[in-house]
Amino acid sequence: MKVIVLGAGVVGTTTAYFLARQGHEVTVLEKNSASALGCSYANGGQLSYSHIEPWASKNSLSFMVKACFTSPSFLSISDLWNREFLKWAMEFIKNSSAERSHEISKKIFNINSYSKKILQEMMAEEADLKFDYKNEGILHFFRTPKSFQTAIKEADFAISLGCTAQILNKEECVKKEPTLSKIADENNLAGGIFYPEDASGNAMIFTKTLEKICRERYGVKFEYGADIRNLFTNYERITGINTSNGVFVADKYIYALGASGTKLLKGIGVDPKIYPLKGYSLSIPSNSEFLAPKIALTDSENKIVYSRLGDTFRAAGTIEICGNKAEKNDKHISFLQNIARSTFSDFGNLNEVSDWCGFRPFRPNSIPLICQIKKYGNLIINSGHGSLGWTMAAASGKIVSDLVLDKKNEQFSFLAEEENGVYINQ
């Protein structure tokens, strides 16, 4: 059948790949001039399969509240009194209880574990799929004993679900990643938790390489400069996509636009409950001459991740709550720069740093919306992955391709439940 995918980020392109492999005639619509120019462009690069604690947890919430009264910090809010944000924030807080948080963690673990399996199969199947992949684990390090002990409790829960984790003291952290010696010497390193099954890779290169495979091997069409104006419906089905390049018609439609297209869905009475949380990154040239970290790192207290992606050292994170304002906030860029400088003694060529920001599509319960929209029998949503879009992309694309064929996967029956409550005025 004919299928249209809205969005050429890592989630949309991976979805197109699996649909095309099933034999569908696939067209991808993207407003930008190329793929991977949104959240996939310069994100943290970590495949955080073991990072299953939702942002809507008591621990994360307490970190954010504390950050509101700390300067400088990883968090800034300029959209506090926005009605949409307040509504989203109330639901976010409702999901922060320990019981609810653990329930959500189990669901995230299921998606992440499946995504790792599917990505491994993709790499085995597609020999040309290269993206600076490193399967060397991720080390979460902690600066204070209190935060370290809290993280150990969460790690114990993750281990009970099936994650593999190693608790490391300060000396063991430095042995695992010698560049942490700077903060260890300054008594700013309490310990760490190493997740050996996690990985890293360049999401932008992955997306563009997969796009090439989709085009050349499976005949997928990518229509760029197609700014989507609205979705046509007959109140029972989607009948077309109205764009600046004309109207596109198919049998099935997949929404994979992240946070950028929620107005389109609300225009047809569907609220995906997605709020854009802006994140920032620094990309620093760092070849073998520099002593940048070799393994992927997560600085949980500062909400920053570090990854070595080929000859680039990537520092990414922070949270700016500003609605859809695209302008860069220099305070977040400075925060990343200052934390990186105070953490590592040598991490790349600081004369050639490039900065970037993008909007993470966050849902209040941290569970992505990957489901059939029953009101419109031919619309499937694949969005709302928050900070785990790169991690979950492979699983998301495969799950959606199965939904198109009406295949049921009981392992992910909980995803269908997320459709409940997305309809406006119902």
Side-chain angles (χ1 to χ4, degrees), residues 97-163:
S97 69
E99 181 181 358
R100 181 68 179 136
S101 177
H102 283 176
E103 180 185 335
I104 293 170
S105 292
K106 293 176 183 177
K107 295 174 180 179
I108 293 175
F109 174 73
N110 281 344
I111 300 173
N112 286 359
S113 299
Y114 186 59
S115 203
K116 180 179 181 180
K117 173 179 177 291
I118 296 300
L119 182 59
Q120 293 294 327
E121 292 175 357
M122 290 176 69
M123 289 190 292
E125 180 73 23
E126 305 293 350
D128 296 330
L129 191 56
K130 308 295 184 183
F131 51 98
D132 293 326
Y133 177 74
K134 291 175 69 175
N135 188 18
E136 299 177 6
I138 297 176
L139 174 60
H140 294 231
F141 65 90
F142 302 88
R143 299 170 185 268
T144 66
K146 182 178 179 181
S147 63
F148 185 33
Q149 291 304 314
T150 300
I152 289 174
K153 292 179 182 178
E154 287 300 320
D156 288 340
F157 176 71
I159 291 169
S160 74
L161 296 180
C163 288

